Amino acid sequence: MSTPFPFTAVVGQDDLRLALLLNAVSPAVGGVLVRGEKGTAKSTAVRALSALLPEVDVVAGCRFSCAPASPDPACPDGPHEPGPGTRRPARMVELPVGASEDRLVGALDIERALAEGVKAFEPGLLAGAHRGILYVDEVNLLHDHLVDLLLDAAAMGASYVEREGVSVRHAARFLLVGTMNPEEGELRPQLLDRFGLTVEVAASREPGQRVEVVRRRLAYDDDPAAFAARWAEDEAAVRQRIVAARELLPRVRLGDGALRQIAATCAAFEVDGMRADIVMARTATALAAWAGRTDVLAEDVRQAALLALPHRRRRNPFDAPGLDEDKLDETLEEFSGESPDDDPGPDGGPDGGGPDGGGGQPAPEGGPRQDGGTAAGPEAGEGGEPQASGGREQSPVRAAEPFRTKVLSVPGIGEGAAGRRSRARTEHGRTTGARRPRGALTKLHLAATVHAAAPHQRARGRSGPGLVIRRDDLRQAAREGREGNLVLFVVDASGSMAARQRMGAVKGAVLSLLLDAYQRRDKVGLVTFRGSAADVALPPTSSVDAAAARLESLPTGGRTPLAAGLLKAHEVLRVERLRDPARRPLVVVVTDGRATGGPEPVALAGRAARLFAADSVASVVVDCESGPVRLGLAGRLAGELGGTAVTLDELRADSIAGLVRDVQGNRRAA
């Protein structure tokens, strides 16, 4: 067994370590979501935490970690006789992003269940994580059906497995810890809210701290056991402090003054529901216990808000998480009252705060107010380096308000990743038929199985009421659901599109489509063309907000190299098809259809468009032409692509021409 990196040897990352330790003190806080760039010790810190957790008492031989003092009456391995039990370390179970449903919740032996009536159950990862940690690395990439199962287990504290009338239930209470890189996409709001706390981590820009990180990592890689031994005393001290804080926790008093501050803070920041209030109360109580106090102070409430509220304030997927600390301080001051609970104490915080006693969460280096983040308006790109252009460079234009768009889907039935856009054969959805299972049986089609077994009952010597089932009789349910697609935006940023009001409307339309792609679990990519060339502004990614940021800072001006934009998009699809062949593409070309620059630009654009038609790539052209006289160039381009064209007005879901279009409907009619 490998020696984990010591928790106390992690350099910096005070907020991350504090959030993890608070959950170790009080698992009721609800877990931690760790957001940050790659290489910031997210996984290292989480894996190191398991070594600090106190040992747990379990019933000997129980695969579901029942506590001897209060065993689960519905435990599949029960009923359990009273006894002292055994002690073992708390477990940390890792959930792989590509895990199956059976691997997560467990699996029933359907054949034995039908033929013998036996509940032969193999526990899954949720059973292993009971009374321990369930860790999901890259949790934002987890498939939706696994997210649904996690939500159910987290809400009910139990896991249910039901197959054709046979059901198994077992307790599943665990500390949920997830790590993610926001560049790869965001979490569904329902799962985001299930994490009690969230922490943003980033690599230090201080050379001395970076040197120490490298020094410790090299020492650990050279001799893990010797490195761990150097930190054993510090690890033991933190472990003892966790035990002491757990024992003190029931005696911590959360007074009315602190409760008023918690409620006022959640109301001031307009968080949805009441879960934030409850999580803040539990976090503030755990902070007091961690500091060795029995009273919750105002600083505990402040620190709890900084950990529990940022991820609950997002009103749409393009909002960056964060908290206005000035507004927080004003709210706490307004509702401070005269109660002794609200006395900040001589040290101004809970034992100085942080896992080693640090105070409130400091403003991170490179925070949301620094330059270089998502552009907030037209001035974001001014003064930038000019790009090659056949015309005058214009500063970026602010996007108009997004709106709800019509559903654009890929025709036919695919087999791509689970999502919400186009029809697909999936493991989840409505049952459309039956087939012989390929590999392990996961979704039994009961009627088809009985139909296959019925003619053979006499030959098999059936004498009792039960069916005699053979492996060849089993039938897998064929299901149809929805898949996510690769939505590749090809955006005209040339001078013909550069009237500021018009470009704002175009960006608003693309932003609306991006929001739709986020909700439908698509991957997105962004190709822009202007001047004399086309650029891949964003390679295909699950991070829709990254595409929105690139769109916001997009400059305009110059000629219209339409052919170059289409050829660049075709190349992007070719490469992506090799990486993810099951994910079907949908190309959205946003242009007025004009083509200028170079010899025969219109003919070149037509030949480039016909490459998409030859590959049967689903496409739609968003016609941005305006004015009383329209040339209809975008419609001609759609015909060359083998797709369909919609105007900006028709793109709205609530427009008068309100039919949901199949993007290749016109081509089929022709």
Side-chain angles (χ1 to χ4, degrees), residues 353-406:
D356 299 313
Q361 180 175 323
E365 234 179 306
R369 296 186 180 181
Q370 73 172 17
D371 294 337
T374 301
E379 65 275 11
E382 292 177 356
E385 192 174 307
Q387 302 178 20
S389 172
R392 184 169 58 87
E393 175 97 10
Q394 296 188 14
S395 60
V397 181
R398 184 186 296 274
E401 284 296 314
F403 51 84
R404 189 167 64 91
T405 67
K406 291 180 178 178

Side-chain angles (χ1 to χ4, degrees), residues 227 239 249 301 341 358 404 455 564 585 605 623 652 670:
F227 183 81
R239 192 178 297 111
L249 187 65
V301 176
D341 315 278
R404 189 167 64 91
D623 184 358
R652 294 178 178 270

Side-chain angles (χ1 to χ4, degrees), residues 50-143:
S50 60
L52 299 179
L53 295 181
E55 293 185 334
V56 294
D57 293 318
V58 297
V59 174
C62 178
R63 298 174 298 167
F64 301 88
S65 303
C66 282
S70 56
D72 181 6
C75 177
D77 285 354
H80 298 299
E81 296 294 330
T86 61
R87 293 180 68 82
R88 63 159 176 78
R91 293 174 180 157
M92 189 189 76
V93 175
E94 295 196 38
L95 171 59
V97 168
S100 66
E101 179 180 333
D102 286 346
R103 184 73 187 97
L104 178 61
V105 300
L108 285 170
D109 189 329
I110 301 296
E111 187 173 356
R112 290 188 64 193
L114 285 175
E116 306 172 28
V118 176
K119 292 182 181 180
F121 181 71
E122 185 65 31
L125 296 177
L126 290 179
H130 179 47
R131 304 176 67 199
I133 301 174
L134 181 63
Y135 172 47
V136 189
D137 193 14
E138 306 295 350
V139 64
N140 51 325
L141 304 182
L142 201 62
H143 288 179

Side-chain angles (χ1 to χ4, degrees), residues 289-341:
W290 177 247
R293 289 185 275 98
T294 56
D295 284 318
V296 173
L297 305 181
E299 183 61 25
D300 297 330
V301 176
R302 184 181 192 277
Q303 181 70 73
L306 291 171
L307 293 172
L309 297 188
H311 61 302
R312 293 184 166 90
R313 291 195 60 250
R314 301 185 67 186
R315 314 317 294 178
N316 68 65
F318 307 136
D319 290 340
L323 213 62
D324 184 339
E325 295 195 34
D326 291 337
K327 181 178 179 180
L328 174 61
D329 291 335
E330 290 173 5
T331 303
L332 294 176
E333 178 68 25
E334 180 181 353
F335 289 87
S336 60
E338 301 297 331
S339 170
D341 315 278

Side-chain angles (χ1 to χ4, degrees), residues 476-492:
Q476 176 88 15
R479 297 175 181 248
E480 182 178 307
R482 293 279 167 176
E483 67 177 0
N485 298 111
L486 166 60
V487 182
L488 181 61
F489 294 93
V490 186
V491 180
D492 184 347

Side-chain angles (χ1 to χ4, degrees), residues 162-180:
E162 304 214 13
R163 298 282 169 80
E164 307 298 342
V166 181
S167 64
V168 173
R169 173 213 169 274
H170 65 83
R173 291 182 295 276
F174 47 82
L175 170 59
L176 180 62
V177 181
T179 55
M180 60 174 283

Side-chain angles (χ1 to χ4, degrees), residues 22 25-26 29 245 248-255 259 262 278-297 300-301 304:
L22 292 177
V25 171
S26 176
V29 166
L248 181 63
L249 187 65
R251 304 198 301 274
V252 174
R253 188 173 68 92
L254 182 65
L259 277 173
I262 290 170
I278 296 170
V279 170
M280 274 190 65
R282 289 171 174 167
T283 305
T285 304
L287 279 161
W290 177 247
R293 289 185 275 98
T294 56
D295 284 318
V296 173
L297 305 181
D300 297 330
V301 176

